[in-house]
Amino acid sequence: MLFSSQTFLGLAVLSSLVVSMSILDGNTISDTSITNVLKTEFGAITAEYSWKWPRIQSTQGVFDFNASDSVLNWAVANGKLIRGHTLVWHQNIPQWVDAVTDKPTLTSIIQTHINVVVGRYRGKVYAWDVVNEVFEEDGNFRNSVFYRVLQEDFIDIAFRAARAADPAAKLYIGEYNLDYAGPKIDALLALVSRLQARGVPIDGIGSQSHLTLGNTAAVPAQLQRLALTNLDIAVTELDIRIPKSVDATKLAAQQTAYASVTRACLSIPKCVGITVWGVSDRYSWVDTTLPAFDSPLAWDDDYRKKAAYNGIEYALDNEL
Ligand code: XIL
């Protein structure tokens, strides 16, 4: 089991105990091989796609919560926490949002989306990824419609709207490639200081941690840097992809890498959770998005536990 009964008790009071989480969505919710693993091994879930903007409000003012509600209902029925993912993201943005060129219109569109979505799930969501992936690798803001029209203000607008819509939810900024020293993590940390100085209601940093085997050594040090902000820290989308082709040596190295990332979070008091971005390799986004890599998760294509599972479990069982 990837969370102890003691940790599970912690979930009920939303303490800062580490919880392990995974993702679920329309493609996996009816696969009992997946849901049985989620029921027994994980304390919380994130929707992989169905809570994203185009799935909920593809046409302005027309909200469709069918798919997102089924994930929420599954979580509630099975006593799992849910992380809301994600509100303002440059990817999968409906054309009617992408086409906006003036500040008042875009401000109101962001506020409406957040009011309606976060408001619907008020009191039911443990944490929201309010803004996601705002930086380029060089530390410049990404040229999204949000930044083009509103500059950095879009971040303040989004966080303030989310806090107003659900004062109890933890509000996160999410980003990938915070796992290495460099301009991206520097820019993220500088942004967080500015947000804190302006009194923007931010509670956490989500480090996605889509990692490549052989390139995970800097993770503990970078997580510690994130924790110096005094915000909650979470690993929100962990997977460790293997450069093809996969063999036993690489799978053993993946076990060590999973153990070390898990231990890195456990050793930081402000690190409150680890979400793996999927259960079985069968459904991982890596297959389609990063085809030079394979086998990123802790269960294989046939739902068998991999060495990676033992790595996570060993780290959780031997918390220092
Ligand atoms: C990915 C999902 O896994 C895919 O199924 C979907 O088609 C696209 O999004 N960073 C994120 C996640 O914040 O939302 C992405 O998830 C993976 C990268």
Side-chain angles (χ1 to χ4, degrees), residues 53-64:
W53 196 313
R55 199 62 196 75
I56 287 183
Q57 194 190 179
S58 63
T59 303
Q60 185 164 16
V62 181
F63 290 83
D64 175 358

Side-chain angles (χ1 to χ4, degrees), residues 48-49 52 85 89 92 132-133 208 210 237 277 285:
E48 183 170 14
Y49 191 71
K52 291 170 180 169
H85 176 82
W89 187 33
N92 303 124
N132 194 33
E133 303 181 352
Q208 294 181 6
H210 291 294
E237 304 184 18
W277 204 241
W285 73 302

Side-chain angles (χ1 to χ4, degrees), residues 166-223:
D166 186 352
K170 300 272 190 190
L171 305 182
Y172 276 67
I173 184 169
E175 188 56 90
Y176 66 100
N177 284 351
L178 302 179
D179 317 283
Y180 325 99
K184 197 175 200 180
I185 186 169
D186 293 348
L188 187 284
L189 288 169
L191 169 64
V192 166
S193 315
R194 294 195 296 279
L195 295 175
Q196 290 172 317
R198 294 201 288 268
V200 175
I202 178 170
D203 302 304
I205 303 173
S207 183
Q208 294 181 6
S209 301
H210 291 294
L211 299 167
T212 303
L213 187 66
N215 206 1
T216 61
V219 169
Q222 302 314 307
L223 275 184

Side-chain angles (χ1 to χ4, degrees), residues 113-319:
H113 186 73
I114 292 179
N115 287 343
V116 174
V117 178
V118 177
R120 180 181 185 87
Y121 297 131
R122 181 185 175 109
K124 296 181 175 151
V125 171
Y126 163 65
W128 272 103
D129 291 330
V130 178
V131 299
N132 194 33
E133 303 181 352
V134 303
F135 289 113
E136 299 284 1
E137 296 308 301
D138 64 5
N140 286 317
F141 276 104
R142 191 183 288 285
N143 180 17
S144 66
V145 63
F146 304 111
Y147 186 74
R148 271 197 312 278
V149 175
L150 291 163
Q151 292 75 53
E152 193 171 310
D153 269 359
F154 83 87
I155 298 172
D156 302 39
I157 292 163
F159 275 97
R160 291 189 196 285
R163 180 67 95 226
D166 186 352
K170 300 272 190 190
L171 305 182
Y172 276 67
I173 184 169
E175 188 56 90
Y176 66 100
N177 284 351
L178 302 179
D179 317 283
Y180 325 99
K184 197 175 200 180
I185 186 169
D186 293 348
L188 187 284
L189 288 169
L191 169 64
V192 166
S193 315
R194 294 195 296 279
L195 295 175
Q196 290 172 317
R198 294 201 288 268
V200 175
I202 178 170
D203 302 304
I205 303 173
S207 183
Q208 294 181 6
S209 301
H210 291 294
L211 299 167
T212 303
L213 187 66
N215 206 1
T216 61
V219 169
Q222 302 314 307
L223 275 184
Q224 278 164 16
R225 289 179 66 197
L226 298 179
L228 289 176
T229 57
N230 252 337
L231 297 179
D232 283 353
I233 304 302
V235 173
T236 50
E237 304 184 18
L238 178 62
D239 46 25
I240 306 180
R241 55 186 181 264
I242 297 179
K244 280 178 177 168
S245 55
V246 177
D247 59 32
T249 309
K250 291 180 182 174
L251 289 167
Q254 188 186 44
Q255 171 174 2
T256 309
Y258 263 105
S260 119
V261 173
T262 305
R263 209 173 290 121
C265 178
L266 288 167
S267 69
I268 298 172
K270 297 295 286 183
C271 191
V272 301
I274 303 171
T275 302
V276 288
W277 204 241
V279 172
S280 161
D281 288 335
R282 178 186 288 248
Y283 296 110
S284 170
W285 73 302
V286 167
D287 278 350
T288 42
T289 315
L290 301 158
F293 301 87
D294 207 356
S295 202
L297 295 167
W299 282 261
D300 70 14
D301 286 338
D302 298 317
Y303 313 103
R304 286 182 303 240
K305 288 175 183 171
K306 294 162 58 184
Y309 176 94
N310 300 327
I312 305 171
E313 190 184 43
Y314 183 82
L316 288 172
D317 288 350
N318 294 279
E319 191 180 345

Side-chain angles (χ1 to χ4, degrees), residues 19-137:
V19 294
S20 61
M21 322 181 187
S22 186
I23 56 172
L24 181 71
D25 226 328
N27 58 340
T28 45
I29 204 164
S30 53
D31 184 336
T32 52
S33 298
I34 298 295
T35 51
N36 286 338
V37 170
L38 292 175
K39 284 179 190 171
T40 53
E41 301 277 355
F42 293 97
I45 57 160
T46 301
E48 183 170 14
Y49 191 71
S50 63
W51 288 41
K52 291 170 180 169
W53 196 313
R55 199 62 196 75
I56 287 183
Q57 194 190 179
S58 63
T59 303
Q60 185 164 16
V62 181
F63 290 83
D64 175 358
F65 289 107
N66 282 322
S68 55
D69 279 359
S70 8
V71 175
L72 189 274
N73 293 339
W74 188 92
V76 171
N78 290 284
K80 307 299 179 191
L81 293 180
I82 188 155
R83 295 192 89 258
H85 176 82
T86 177
L87 295 166
V88 175
W89 187 33
H90 68 284
Q91 257 191 43
N92 303 124
I93 279 299
Q95 211 282 328
W96 64 270
V97 180
D98 221 18
V100 176
T101 52
D102 71 282
K103 289 183 197 237
T105 306
L106 191 58
T107 301
S108 142
I109 284 171
I110 293 171
Q111 288 171 334
T112 301
H113 186 73
I114 292 179
N115 287 343
V116 174
V117 178
V118 177
R120 180 181 185 87
Y121 297 131
R122 181 185 175 109
K124 296 181 175 151
V125 171
Y126 163 65
W128 272 103
D129 291 330
V130 178
V131 299
N132 194 33
E133 303 181 352
V134 303
F135 289 113
E136 299 284 1
E137 296 308 301

